[in-house]
Amino acid sequence: MKADSGGGILSRLLVISSALPLLGCASVQTPPSGGTLIRNVTVIPMDKPGSLRARDVLIADGRIAAVVRSGTLRGARAAHVIEGRGKYLLPGLWDMHVHALTGVEQPSRETLPLYLANGIVGVRDLGSTLEELAAARSASAPEALPQLVGTGPLLDGPRQPWMQKMALPLATAEEAGAAATRLADAGVDFLKVYNNLSADRFAAVAAVGKERGLPLVGHVPFKLSLEHVSAAGQKSVEHAGLQLVKDCIPHGQKAVPAALNAWIRNGYPGRFEETRRWWAKRDQAACAALYRRMAERGTWVTPMLVNEVKGGRWTRPEDLARLPERLRKACEGSLESIDSAPAARDEADRLVFDLVRELHAAGVPLLAGSDVPNECLWHGSSLHKELEMMVHAGLSPWDALATATRNPARFLGRPDEGAIREGAVANLLLLDGNPLEDISNTRRIAGVMLKGRWHDAATRLSAGDAIIYENAAVWTGRGFERRTLAVRQGRFVDPSEAAPGAERLDLSGRFVVPAYGNAHAHLTSPTPKQSWSFLEQGVFYVWNPNTIIMDDAALRFYARKDSFDVRVSQGGITEPGGHPEYLYVEQLSKWAYKGKTLKDFLGNAFHYGRDRPEIDASLDRLKRQKADFVKAYLLNSEDYARRRDDSKFYGEKGLNPVNLPYLVTAARQRGLFVAVHVETVSDLKVAALSGAAVAAHLPAYGVRTEDDLKRRTLTQADAALVAKSGMLLVPTYSIAARGDDGTSSEAEKAFRKRVLAVQARNIRLLKEAGAKFLIGTDGTGEIFEEVEHLVKIGALSREEALEIALATGGKLFPQRRIGCFEPGCEADFLVLSADPSNDISALRKIEARIKAGVEQRAPVTPEGASPPRS
């Protein structure tokens, strides 16, 4: 592994109770005992819009025995009870266009389990050899695999050099009929027609299909019209794009080959431009009429937006991380071409989304399909993006869900599937979020049921979802030990839960540590460049104590899995003329926030808290601004009375220390903790005695004079008082120690040496008293500087500094399981090339950054280069 090489190193259990009695009065007939009960769940039945709250769903013998109001079953005893409170139950999903069987040795182990892991209970495979189809159908343990229907080979025109092995070349109508007959005899479920079939060969295939009861599915052959294939009874047309528009364009039969040729010659920009050129000639009214005729005939469309639309916002780092290395590199090459023409790309995407909306409005029935493993797509996970894209195209979440539940059941002629009602087959998906409110909640899978068999996290997840890291030296909190780690769906799991075929990575000679945290960093605008400036140094967690208000868009940016996680204080609380008023009004207004005045900053970058009513008003405002904690300012609190009304101390004062205990209590009542900016020993003691949770900075920060240094020197008694309070301490000493550029006088050097000695002594006294520390930088600087500085000045030993640095991240988000390597912990970690317990600077030597199980890599700038190191 090499750092930033461009490739990278990666491509809940439900508690089931046994034999619990079902209690409650009932007006419902008592169902048979046994089976499984999903209790007190919200049901999304999909046979009609909407949802049903607080339902009990009883499953017996592979079917739904009852769907009733929770608590109205009487006398039944279920063998298994699954608690559904707060969860949502809907029919299991189908992916109606995949290629899961070709190109893999054992699809029953390598690809098909990935679908069930993603809540997909059935797939329609539209391209494989007959041998591959037969092998998949005869696979062992079919109860652990999704249902499979397939076409076998696709039926195409004369042999071409680029034909895949799953295509049958047909030179004559007789060959076409004979080939279709062989496929029918072999037991395929459909006949798939392809691009180069002529009218007579298409007719021969259609005749066999009609005779043998096999629906035609596939492309619109280049030489035929959409009207032709629809009128001839082709049941489904695959792919949204020019083939669905060409009938409405003069000489439109040339459109698809022209776009393909432009793609071959000039990459995606050529394809986008050629597509736009043809699309501009479209007779929209004629298309609308055609789509209405298709709806009347029952011609289905599988748009596969996820295959038609790529790049930009639609291809995320986690999508790439799922791909095997070979496919990932191919995808990255395609994305380079796609994203090289963003305006043309976005226009081409808009046309496809508009087309799907028009098809839906005309009543054309739609199916959800992914076309995996086409470029940038992967088995199972890509269907969830397809549903998100359907909603983006204009479908309601319910209509989008229908394309993967009730619509596949209708298409396949399975009236007892695709809905939750009594008697239906128990193919079910249990979610932790409501997909009718947010379609992306289909990814939040609590469990899957296939024909009455329950698959929880332990049984439904397969080899392809897990990565096993072997032979790594893993941080234990005190040192390193050789361990094997397994990651699945963004969390650590017991390695024994990973299937034998899971991807394995050998980390011999590498050191695995928790991702770093920065407990004091002032952020600017949320951009990929700024995000990478933290991720590059391994910082996944940040406290942002004071900044211009971050709006919802910024907060959403920092909640993404490809950025670092942030807790914000928004503006801090001070008094008029106090810090940070001077910083914003007199300094930052001249460059970072040009033209802004006190009126702009007040209630935004800072708030006043002169008395209790004003403190309450500021806290309420911060709560509305979605602050996670409160920043309060104490500066020279022992001198507050003298400085308060003296203009020469503008920016060098803060809150009345008498008011801090009330502020801390009032903040705590609102669910907010308080971090206090301190400078002197007096400030630190006031913060500790007031019950503040965090001291932002420690005395010996911001020292300019000998008097400053005296007021920043702790005694043993001071350290004991502070440590007893339990307040977390963020020294930020390294930034305050900068300034020796080689031109300092001997007196300045001597003074700086005394400051560093006080810093070291303060830390040692606090450490000996039992105080707890966090690492922070007071800016966007590197945490390594702070850690190395504390060791260099003798404040901490290498071992102590390492323990604090590696524990900081977990303490910034205490409600989450981060900073640990046990099953259930979030899989956020770093891979180092050297041992930091021997050399603290090895914390810098990061080979890989894994967040939620996905490797993080530098974003690409428009010029194609990685952003500079911060």
Side-chain angles (χ1 to χ4, degrees):
M1 296 180 298
K2 294 183 179 179
D4 305 325
S5 63
I9 68 167
L10 291 180
S11 76
R12 331 152 198 93
L13 287 175
L14 286 175
V15 178
I16 300 180
S17 306
S18 207
L20 294 178
L22 307 182
L23 304 176
C25 59
S27 58
V28 178
Q29 183 178 355
T30 301
S33 296
T36 299
L37 175 74
I38 304 176
R39 182 171 56 192
N40 198 19
V41 70
T42 297
V43 171
I44 303 174
M46 292 310 300
D47 56 356
K48 55 183 177 294
S51 60
L52 307 170
R53 297 183 62 188
R55 292 303 194 265
D56 288 347
V57 180
L58 185 67
I59 297 98
D61 298 324
R63 290 186 177 265
I64 298 172
V67 182
V68 299
R69 290 188 179 278
S70 186
T72 58
L73 286 173
R74 181 179 59 192
R77 293 174 64 86
H80 301 98
V81 177
I82 300 169
E83 180 56 55
R85 183 183 297 274
K87 302 182 189 298
Y88 299 81
L89 188 70
L90 65 153
L93 308 175
W94 274 77
D95 191 328
M96 292 296 283
H97 190 129
V98 305
H99 299 280
L101 310 181
T102 190
V104 291
E105 292 184 7
Q106 292 182 299
S108 62
R109 295 189 61 172
E110 297 177 56
T111 57
L112 290 174
L114 299 179
Y115 293 95
L116 195 63
N118 280 277
I120 297 166
V121 299
V123 296
R124 183 175 63 143
D125 191 281
L126 265 67
S128 68
T129 66
L130 280 175
E131 293 76 16
E132 290 167 334
L133 182 60
R137 284 177 165 167
S138 64
S140 60
E143 71 279 1
L145 297 174
Q147 302 170 92
L148 171 67
V149 294
T151 63
L154 50 89
L155 299 161
D156 205 359
R159 183 174 299 279
Q160 304 290 342
W162 55 82
M163 272 189 174
Q164 303 176 63
K165 68 176 183 178
M166 64 180 176
L168 297 180
L170 307 171
T172 65
E174 290 73 19
E175 284 187 15
T181 299
R182 288 196 304 274
L183 295 181
D185 291 342
V188 301
D189 300 290
F190 314 92
L191 298 173
K192 181 175 180 180
V193 297
Y194 209 59
N195 293 332
N196 292 301
L197 276 184
S198 59
D200 61 337
R201 279 160 252 179
F202 178 90
V205 172
V208 173
K210 184 176 182 180
E211 177 186 347
R212 303 294 293 271
L214 291 176
L216 263 62
V217 300
H219 293 200
V220 179
F222 293 155
K223 295 180 180 179
L224 303 184
S225 66
L226 177 58
E227 180 77 57
H228 182 110
V229 302
S230 174
Q234 183 168 323
K235 189 168 184 178
S236 73
V237 176
E238 310 301 308
H239 300 285
L242 278 175
Q243 67 167 351
L244 297 182
V245 180
K246 65 180 185 177
D247 283 31
C248 321
I249 301 172
H251 311 293
Q253 288 188 1
K254 299 178 181 178
V256 176
L260 291 174
N261 287 331
W263 187 10
I264 293 169
R265 292 193 308 270
N266 300 312
Y268 275 96
R271 170 180 160 179
F272 295 151
E273 178 56 32
E274 191 68 13
T275 297
R276 184 203 61 77
R277 189 173 71 83
W278 282 97
W279 213 291
K281 302 175 184 178
R282 180 179 63 144
D283 183 335
Q284 193 162 353
C287 275
L290 171 59
Y291 301 154
R292 288 193 294 270
R293 293 193 296 275
M294 290 171 60
E296 291 167 359
R297 295 173 183 139
T299 305
W300 296 70
V301 172
T302 316
M304 290 174 286
L305 286 162
V306 74
N307 185 52
E308 301 296 324
V309 174
K310 298 188 185 77
R313 59 173 288 195
W314 292 111
T315 304
R316 299 168 293 198
E318 56 263 39
D319 299 325
L320 297 180
R322 292 186 179 97
L323 301 176
E325 184 175 5
R326 176 181 59 85
L327 295 180
R328 185 171 66 243
K329 289 181 177 179
C331 173
E332 289 170 341
S334 293
L335 291 177
E336 185 176 354
S337 177
I338 291 168
D339 292 333
S340 67
R345 175 202 67 204
D346 292 348
E347 174 64 10
D349 293 351
R350 183 188 65 79
L351 295 174
V352 176
F353 283 122
D354 287 349
L355 170 60
V356 171
R357 184 169 58 253
E358 291 165 10
L359 291 167
H360 180 62
V364 175
L366 303 178
L367 298 169
S370 62
D371 207 14
V372 291
N374 248 318
E375 62 180 20
C376 304
L377 306 175
W378 194 235
H379 303 281
S381 58
S382 289
L383 184 70
H384 296 284
K385 187 194 291 189
E386 179 71 10
L387 297 178
E388 293 166 6
M389 287 180 154
M390 289 277 199
V391 172
H392 182 79
L395 277 67
S396 70
W398 188 89
D399 286 328
L401 289 172
T403 67
T405 54
R406 70 194 306 263
N407 287 8
R410 288 169 53 207
F411 180 88
L412 296 171
R414 300 183 178 192
D416 56 353
E417 296 189 33
I420 298 180
R421 58 174 177 264
E422 188 174 330
V425 176
N427 294 331
L428 305 172
L429 173 59
L430 189 64
L431 301 176
D432 284 323
N434 188 351
L436 297 180
E437 293 180 353
D438 183 348
I439 193 64
S440 67
N441 281 329
T442 60
R443 300 176 185 267
R444 299 177 60 191
I445 299 170
V448 183
M449 181 170 280
L450 180 61
K451 295 183 178 179
R453 179 182 174 118
W454 180 248
H455 299 265
D456 59 19
T459 59
R460 69 185 172 83
L461 296 175
S462 67
D465 296 285
I467 298 178
I468 296 176
Y469 298 87
E470 298 176 312
N471 302 316
V474 179
W475 177 251
T476 66
R478 292 286 183 177
F480 290 95
E481 68 176 26
R482 189 74 55 189
R483 288 177 59 183
T484 295
L485 300 174
V487 174
R488 190 172 58 199
Q489 287 207 332
R491 292 186 179 272
F492 289 108
V493 297
D494 190 305
S496 66
E497 292 182 20
E503 181 180 359
R504 293 177 178 268
L505 295 176
D506 188 348
L507 295 185
S508 297
R510 274 80 171 185
F511 297 83
V512 173
V513 299
Y516 309 145
N518 189 327
H520 194 130
H522 298 289
L523 307 178
T524 54
S525 58
T527 63
K529 181 177 180 180
Q530 181 188 246
S531 182
W532 180 246
S533 73
F534 283 81
L535 294 178
E536 184 180 33
Q537 56 175 302
V539 172
F540 290 4
Y541 323 105
V542 173
W543 277 353
N544 179 13
N546 193 273
T547 186
I548 291 286
I549 291 173
M550 287 193 171
D551 58 18
D552 286 342
L555 296 177
R556 284 194 300 271
F557 176 89
Y558 289 122
R560 291 172 10 179
K561 290 184 178 180
D562 59 344
S563 185
F564 52 89
D565 300 341
V566 174
R567 300 179 77 183
V568 300
S569 71
Q570 307 289 30
I573 299 181
T574 187
E575 288 196 8
H579 185 61
E581 182 178 312
Y582 172 81
L583 175 66
Y584 281 96
V585 176
E586 298 298 325
Q587 294 184 331
L588 295 178
S589 63
K590 293 180 172 59
W591 59 280
Y593 305 108
K594 285 187 177 180
K596 292 190 180 297
T597 65
L598 174 62
K599 183 178 179 181
D600 300 304
F601 293 121
L602 185 59
N604 183 353
F606 51 84
H607 310 262
Y608 290 157
R610 286 168 284 194
D611 52 32
R612 292 187 175 190
E614 196 167 57
I615 289 171
D616 284 331
S618 293
L619 290 172
D620 289 340
R621 189 181 308 114
L622 286 167
K623 193 71 176 176
R624 291 194 299 272
Q625 293 168 352
K626 300 182 179 180
D628 295 305
F629 63 100
V630 177
K631 176 75 173 290
Y633 288 89
L634 290 180
L635 285 84
N636 301 282
S637 55
E638 68 274 27
D639 205 16
Y640 168 79
R642 183 169 68 91
R643 292 178 178 236
R644 182 185 61 187
D645 300 317
D646 191 336
S647 60
K648 74 179 181 181
F649 294 110
Y650 185 38
E652 296 182 12
K653 52 190 174 183
L655 288 168
N656 185 343
V658 173
N659 289 330
L660 188 63
Y662 178 80
L663 189 156
V664 170
T665 300
R668 192 178 295 131
Q669 290 170 346
R670 292 165 171 81
L672 304 171
F673 68 88
V674 177
V676 184
H677 172 112
V678 303
E679 294 197 357
T680 66
V681 171
S682 176
D683 298 339
L684 182 63
K685 292 164 66 177
V686 169
L689 292 169
S690 298
V694 181
H697 316 304
L698 281 182
Y701 169 93
V703 182
R704 293 190 292 272
T705 67
E706 290 289 350
D707 182 62
D708 285 343
L709 191 56
K710 288 179 182 178
R711 293 196 290 171
R712 286 160 172 77
T713 303
L714 287 164
T715 67
Q716 193 171 27
D718 297 330
L721 182 152
V722 172
K724 185 178 179 180
S725 74
M727 186 167 55
L728 294 170
L729 309 178
V730 190
T732 67
Y733 271 169
S734 62
I735 191 171
R738 295 174 185 169
D740 186 5
D741 59 0
T743 63
S744 301
S745 67
E746 290 302 317
E748 290 170 333
K749 291 179 181 178
F751 179 71
R752 184 172 183 273
K753 188 174 181 179
R754 290 197 297 277
V755 171
L756 298 183
V758 169
Q759 287 187 350
R761 182 175 183 274
N762 285 350
I763 293 280
R764 288 197 300 270
L765 286 173
L766 289 163
K767 181 73 176 175
E768 290 166 4
K772 304 299 182 183
F773 298 87
L774 302 174
I775 298 298
T777 61
D778 194 22
T780 56
E782 295 186 338
I783 63 158
F784 313 117
E785 296 177 355
E786 177 74 4
V787 178
E788 292 164 6
H789 174 76
L790 296 175
V791 173
K792 182 179 179 180
I793 66 174
L796 297 171
S797 69
R798 182 174 64 245
E799 294 77 14
E800 290 170 335
L802 183 61
E803 289 176 16
I804 292 169
L806 297 182
T808 292
K811 292 180 179 179
L812 301 189
F813 289 81
Q815 303 306 314
R816 291 165 53 183
R817 295 192 67 190
I818 56 179
C820 53
F821 296 96
E822 307 308 319
C825 295
E826 294 182 41
D828 295 0
F829 61 99
L830 308 173
V831 179
L832 309 180
S833 62
D835 184 354
S837 62
N838 291 331
D839 179 359
I840 197 70
S841 68
L843 290 173
R844 299 175 178 266
K845 298 179 180 180
I846 304 171
E847 287 197 358
R849 306 153 182 84
I850 315 300
K851 188 170 191 289
V854 177
E855 186 174 9
Q856 306 296 309
R857 283 170 283 157
V860 177
T861 66
E863 294 74 31
S866 296
R869 293 177 179 268
S870 61

